[in-house]
Amino acid sequence: MAQLFSNYINGEWVSRDQTFENRNPANTNELIGNFVKGTAQDINDAAAAAAAALPAWSAMSGPARGNILFKAADILDKKFEQVAADMTREEGKTLPEAKGEVRRAINILRYFAGEGSRMPGMLVPSERDRVHMFALRKPIGVVGLVTPWNFPSAIPAWKLAPALICGNTVLMKPASAAPLSAWRIVEALHEAGIPKGVVNFVAGSGGTLGQALVNAAPLKAVSFTGSCEVGQWLHQQASARHLRIQLEMGGKNPTIVLADADFSSAVENVVNAAFFSTGQKCTATSRAIVEDAIYDRFVAAVVERTKKLKVGDGMQPGIDIGPCVDEGQMETDLRYIEIGRQESGEPRCGGRRLTEGALANGYFVEPTVFAGVEESHTIAREEIFGPVLAIMRAKDFEDAMRIANNIPFGLSSSIQTTNLSRAFEFIYRAEAGLLTVNLPSAGVEYQLPFGGAKDSSFGPKEQGPAALEFYSDYKTVYLKY
Ligand code: NAP
Ligand code: MG
């Protein structure tokens, strides 16, 4: 019998008759578990519980709240191997990648646990005699968190931890394709003794629960990561109610490769950023913009390297690329590959679904490289979220910068160059929130702000000290002594 995973509302595991399946995208015969399908009533119950828990939780000292997060991090750490394997089985990314992500989630919990002892406010001198003035942080209240499947542990952690440490209470809705990784964090918080109602978890259909969530009377803020369509809809709903909102959405991230780059590391960085995690990172490179002088040699080297990538079940050693997260995402990838064939010509490698042998029961797509892609082509403009790389030719640095920025998205952007001036020109002129130089476009840490520019993002940044800006508000005090 597959395990049943309940929702968590007001400190209780809450079950219902209706459930949905969580299956392994590398082998759909494997049922990982059944999740209780939450209802609008569950969201309302969770919101009411969060509102009731707010006064005591926000009155608790920051270090005391931090201790609970530290404890939850220790509990997750003890279950590290299991939690990472769960992630590979539900999402498809390789086990080393899953381990990296669970390690990150643990570090995020510890980082924000420490913020409980800092919680920086402001203290400045007054113009007036014997006036002491300062601003302290206070929580905003009940916060709704809506998360995607592609980083099913790190993203829930980087929303939950700052929300909680600032003294808010939380209502969280995980992605239906990979709810177990987020559930494990909630389980750890429960085992760490978090007071009832402070954290609530309701899995189920995004449409139904999303509507209930933005309508829930006690809600004060929503933090969302996912697609542009859902983000835009949430924004409209939330704005009508004056909810605070933070959105992290799609991208079409470029890597510029200049002729002076360290050639072999540029190839490695582009292949890594385009294909690892099956291209399903929000910061993945989907456009390589390559200077004319090295263009042909670069295309050949990327194709040669890509052909060596091993596609398969991410639980097995030696696998580089796992499956797409589900059938819908695989169909999207294959549809864009067809569009690419029509607009840009036959891919230089890949381009097919893989069904041979053990791959027959999974959603595997070959890492696919298109070259000669023009700015007007669909695969140069729209987010695919799969293992598909579009290589584009640039006349020179200026042309490459223009192509890189000529897109409505602005999540991450990368340059490969050994020229310091070019690197700095790129840093000041790239229209994106996350920049890398001589590194893959994907691969961020939690100690600095995270988020995009342009249509990729809206609202304050996540992670690092910046996360406190979204999850807290200032109270400003003038005191005459
Ligand atoms: P998605 O379809 O927008 O789903 C994200 C979350 O929203 C899921 O929990 C989903 O629930 C929920 N949802 C769906 N419809 C909703 C509605 N009407 N109201 C409220 N919530 C709703 O995105 P995804 O397919 O999971 O993730 C892929 C996308 O996320 C890509 O576009 C990627 O670029 C983006 N992403 C961005 C970042 C970033 O930091 N910028 C990071 C990671 C991913 P269900 O799962 O039940 O549908
Ligand atoms: Mg799954």
Side-chain angles (χ1 to χ4, degrees), residues 146-147 149-150 173 176 204 206 225-227 233 249 282 383 385 450:
V146 181
T147 55
W149 46 262
N150 67 331
K173 146 72 186 110
S176 300
T225 302
S227 62
W233 177 82
M249 301 172 287
C282 45
E383 182 180 56
F385 223 54
F450 173 94

Side-chain angles (χ1 to χ4, degrees), residues 39 314 393:
T39 62
R393 189 191 294 265

Side-chain angles (χ1 to χ4, degrees), residues 21-25 32 89-91 176-179 325:
E21 293 183 332
N22 185 4
R23 284 192 179 269
N24 183 344
I32 294 150
R89 289 162 66 230
E90 75 166 346
E91 201 271 351
S176 300
V325 72

